[in-house]
Amino acid sequence: TPQLSFLVREKQCHCGIMVTASHNPPSDNAVKVYWSTGGQILPPHDQAIIQEVMENVKDIESTRFETALNDGQVSICTAEIDAAFQKTLVQLSRPGPRDLKLVYSPLHGVGGNVIPAVLNASGFEDVVMFPGHANPDPDFTNVAGQISNPENVEVYQPIIEFARQQSADVILVTDPDADRLGCAAPVSLSADADWKIFNGNQLCAMLGAYRLESLQQVGRLSDESFQVTTLVTTQMLKRIGDSFGVTTHGDLLVGFKWIAGAIDQGGAEHFVYGTEESHGFMISDYCRDKDGAVASMLLAELAARLKADGKTLFDYLESLYWQYGYHQEELITIYMEGSEGMGRMTR
């Protein structure tokens, strides 16, 4: 999904359409529609598209894919965009330690085609794919409850067992369309350390602090620099931003499309970091949506730097709590399936 946003901007497309259930159950398969900015559609375009369809579309014409391809109506640019996307992300990486063993799971999704290659290209050569989730599978067969969501702690248990066997340092997980990142890690550097899973807001804070630290070290923060969050995201991020002199726009509605809109309003040249509690992260100007690939790269950089200093990701989070105050939250998900679930939601 982030590569589609990148493609729309790279090729100056009018729009982009992604068919995906994302991290939701397979029954929720649907589309994400992107505007020419590379961000998902916002008002008034969303309602205008629906109105156009409802009022003016009487017939849906179709043609065979092979025919459209041969006639030049369809152009396949997968390899080109894969290469351009990877090159763009590697240019955003920071130099530093790379001694880190990573276990990565795409949760039966498409991230396995891109993210290990991005990590390799940015210097992380010891990346092991979790075999149980390696194959693309629209039924999410080997995932607990068939819910391939980085917020679902149950998906990590078999990966943690595998990571122990591999003597790995960190587990990275992306949802099936590879726009959201989850992470688990041992609480200490000892071989028998317990593994724990970070929630979305903890990752928001850690990646935010690392991002701002990195930019400050190379003199790329200014009085106009800003970061963007939404209403459900930890206030800890604002405290972090304040300490670096970075403005935080944090009163947005839920959804990265609103973050994307705020980037265009505030000036992309001043945007440094966008994030949301639901494990979404974005930096720079190459796309207008959350990106599990760039988040994986940033988290690997941070973990490797900490390991070189004899510390863990949990040590880093603890240091942030000491600086900015302890923040705690818990996510509760209520599933309402089918027509009965819709009735319950309506009531």
Side-chain angles (χ1 to χ4, degrees), residues 89-90 92-98 100 119 122 124 210 214 296-306:
L89 264 58
V90 170
L92 294 170
S93 68
R94 291 294 315 281
R98 293 297 190 263
L100 194 73
L119 290 169
S122 58
F124 296 96
Y210 173 65
S214 299
S296 295
M297 186 180 73
L298 290 178
L299 196 58
E301 289 177 9
L302 173 60
R305 190 188 76 179
L306 292 167

Side-chain angles (χ1 to χ4, degrees), residues 208-229:
Y210 173 65
R211 171 69 171 161
L212 298 186
E213 286 172 9
S214 299
L215 292 176
Q216 185 182 64
Q217 288 171 0
V218 294
R220 289 183 52 201
L221 291 181
S222 71
D223 293 340
E224 296 178 281
S225 297
F226 69 94
Q227 61 181 356
V228 189
T229 71

Side-chain angles (χ1 to χ4, degrees), residues 10-78:
E10 183 83 353
K11 295 286 190 179
Q12 297 182 322
C13 300
H14 291 101
C15 68
I17 300 173
M18 171 62 70
V19 181
T20 178
S22 187
H23 59 283
N24 300 304
S27 58
D28 287 354
N29 207 24
V31 296
K32 295 179 179 178
V33 181
Y34 290 82
W35 198 243
S36 57
T37 61
Q40 293 189 46
I41 53 172
L42 292 168
H45 306 309
D46 49 1
Q47 288 299 321
I49 291 170
I50 293 172
Q51 183 177 352
E52 177 71 18
V53 171
M54 298 302 292
E55 293 181 358
N56 296 324
V57 175
K58 308 301 180 185
D59 300 298
I60 300 176
E61 299 180 5
S62 65
T63 186
R64 289 180 58 83
F65 183 83
E66 294 80 3
T67 302
L69 188 62
N70 292 333
D71 290 345
Q73 294 176 291
V74 172
S75 176
I76 297 177
C77 55
T78 307

